Amino acid sequence: MTTTHQKTEHRDFADADEVRTFEHGAMEVLTVGGDDIGRMTLQPGWRWSNDVKPIAGTDLCEAPHFQYHVSGTLHIVMADGTEFDATAGQLTSLPSGHDAWVVGDEPAVIVDFYGASNWAKGR
């Protein structure tokens, strides 16, 4: 992640540089300060292993993430068996090797500060 910023930037996800859509969700990507930041909106019924795995072509999500959870609940299961719910107001730092799905009837909205570059982009 780049930490040196050369200029002031003010961006809005409504004017994303790229929008990636997939079953039950989408991710808007902005490039800010040379880094890709993604906002994922994951609808009820979304599950990485069902909706993004066919795009990624891997058994588990191999993108590491550093995320802020804006709303909704995302259940995360790591390759080592660790699992937890991430909810609004929480941060997660996830290494590669995980699955995740939306819990309940509210969409999960997550801002991903690390890992958005290639997530749901395909090989």
Side-chain angles (χ1 to χ4, degrees):
M1 186 170 197
T2 305
T3 56
T4 304
H5 300 285
Q6 301 295 323
K7 63 181 180 174
T8 300
E9 293 183 68
H10 182 233
R11 302 291 313 273
D12 190 320
F13 281 109
D15 296 317
D17 296 317
E18 180 182 1
V19 178
R20 300 178 197 151
T21 59
F22 40 85
E23 192 70 27
H24 295 106
M27 181 168 72
E28 299 134 324
V29 180
L30 292 174
T31 300
V32 180
D35 293 316
D36 290 335
I37 310 298
R39 179 175 66 181
M40 297 179 230
T41 302
L42 309 173
Q43 299 298 326
W46 178 88
R47 184 174 182 141
W48 185 91
S49 55
N50 295 334
D51 300 322
V52 181
K53 179 179 178 175
I55 298 167
T58 57
D59 288 335
L60 295 171
C61 180
E62 296 300 330
H65 301 283
F66 183 66
Q67 303 173 323
Y68 175 72
H69 297 263
V70 177
S71 63
T73 301
L74 192 66
H75 188 79
I76 300 163
V77 179
M78 303 303 300
D80 69 3
T82 302
E83 60 183 286
F84 57 92
D85 285 342
T87 59
Q90 296 182 336
L91 290 170
T92 54
S93 178
L94 305 175
S96 59
H98 52 271
D99 192 6
W101 57 89
V102 174
V103 175
D105 296 328
E106 180 183 0
V109 177
I110 301 139
V111 176
D112 195 347
F113 295 95
Y114 184 83
S117 296
N118 294 312
W119 194 82
K121 196 172 190 176
R123 295 184 266 176

